[in-house]
Amino acid sequence: MKRQLAWMALVCGLVGLPFSVAHAQSGLASQGCGSLENAYGPYDYRTDKDKLGVVEKFHFGPAQESLTATDGLGGDLDYTLRAFPNHHRALMAMMKLGAKEKRGQANRANYSVECYMIRAETFRPDDAMVKVIYGLFLMQAGRAKDAIAKLEAARELDTRNANVHYNLGLAYADLKQYDKALESAHRAYGAGFPLPGLKNKLKRAGKWREP
C-alpha cells in the first residue's frame, strides 16, 4: 500500500500537473504527440499572463502570427506552443501554417498540426476556445462530424460565446443540418457576431429565416 501511494504521489507531482492531466497526457506519446513536460512551463495562456512576455518577445511577435517571418517560423510556433499549449493565437497560426505549406506537420515543428490541438485540449480540457480552434481545423480538413463534436463541447463550456455558435452553425450547414445551423446562426448574430458568412450560406441554400 505504501509503495502504491508513493507511486501515485510521484505521478501527481509531474511538473506540477494535477493527477487527471498527468494521467491524460500519458496517451499523447502513443499518438506521436510527445509530452507536456517542458523546460519553460507549461503555462495556461488564459491565466499565466505574467509568463507570456519572454515567449512572445522572442518567438511569437507580429511576424510569426501573420506568417511573414522568414526564418524558423515553425520552430518559433512550436516553442510557443510547448510553453503555452493552449495559446489560442499561436494555435491558429500553426493551423494556418500547415495549410499554407500544405503539410500535416509544418516545417521545423516537432509535431503534426493536429497534435498541437490534442496537446492543448489535453492540457486544458476546460478551455472552450481550444475546442473551437480544433473544430476549425477539423472543418478545414473536411471532417465536419468531428468538428461538430468539438464545437458542441465548446458550447457546453461557454454557451454565450458568439464565435462558438457561428462556427458550429457552419459545421451544421456543411452536413446539411439546416435547422441546427439556423438556430446557431440566430444565437451567433444575436450575440453580436459580425461576419455574414453563415447567414449568406444559409441564404444560398434557401434556409435562412429571420429570428
Side-chain angles (χ1 to χ4, degrees):
M1 178 61 74
K2 289 183 178 179
R3 289 183 179 179
Q4 184 179 18
L5 290 174
W7 178 84
M8 289 181 68
L10 176 63
V11 174
C12 289
L14 285 175
V15 292
L17 293 174
F19 176 72
S20 59
V21 175
H23 179 69
Q25 78 160 330
S26 66
L28 290 175
S30 66
Q31 299 178 77
C33 298
S35 168
L36 291 175
E37 294 183 59
N38 197 54
Y40 187 71
Y43 298 114
D44 190 329
Y45 178 66
R46 301 166 299 174
T47 58
D48 295 320
K49 300 297 186 182
D50 59 318
K51 308 294 196 307
L52 265 173
V54 65
V55 173
E56 293 191 341
K57 180 179 180 180
F58 295 105
H59 299 282
F60 192 73
Q64 285 79 23
E65 186 164 13
S66 63
L67 307 188
T68 56
T70 57
D71 183 44
L73 177 55
D76 280 329
L77 295 180
D78 169 79
Y79 184 95
T80 303
L81 289 170
R82 282 186 290 110
F84 288 86
N86 63 329
H87 193 302
H88 304 152
R89 290 157 46 223
L91 278 173
M92 284 294 299
M94 183 64 82
M95 181 179 77
K96 292 175 181 177
L97 181 60
K100 180 180 179 180
E101 294 182 351
K102 298 180 180 179
R103 295 164 55 113
Q105 181 169 334
N107 186 37
R108 297 196 181 184
N110 281 311
Y111 309 109
S112 70
V113 175
E114 185 161 13
C115 269
Y116 290 105
M117 306 295 169
I118 294 170
R119 288 166 57 84
E121 190 173 40
T122 300
F123 178 59
R124 287 295 182 265
D126 66 334
D127 190 333
M129 195 60 198
V130 164
K131 296 183 190 300
V132 171
I133 298 167
Y134 198 168
L136 291 174
F137 167 79
L138 293 168
M139 287 173 62
Q140 187 181 83
R143 295 159 57 185
K145 288 184 179 180
D146 293 333
I148 282 175
K150 293 299 178 188
L151 292 165
E152 285 180 341
R155 183 181 60 190
E156 291 299 312
L157 290 169
D158 190 354
T159 59
R160 295 178 293 179
N161 190 318
N163 194 28
V164 171
H165 292 298
Y166 179 83
N167 286 291
L168 185 54
L170 289 175
Y172 281 138
D174 283 349
L175 290 179
K176 303 188 186 307
Q177 296 181 24
Y178 293 117
D179 289 345
K180 291 182 177 180
L182 183 62
E183 179 184 356
S184 292
H186 288 164
R187 291 188 179 187
Y189 293 125
F193 195 84
L195 300 180
L198 176 55
K199 182 177 183 178
N200 292 339
K201 191 166 193 170
L202 289 169
K203 281 184 174 181
R204 288 194 297 271
K207 300 297 181 179
W208 172 253
R209 301 288 184 276
E210 293 295 333

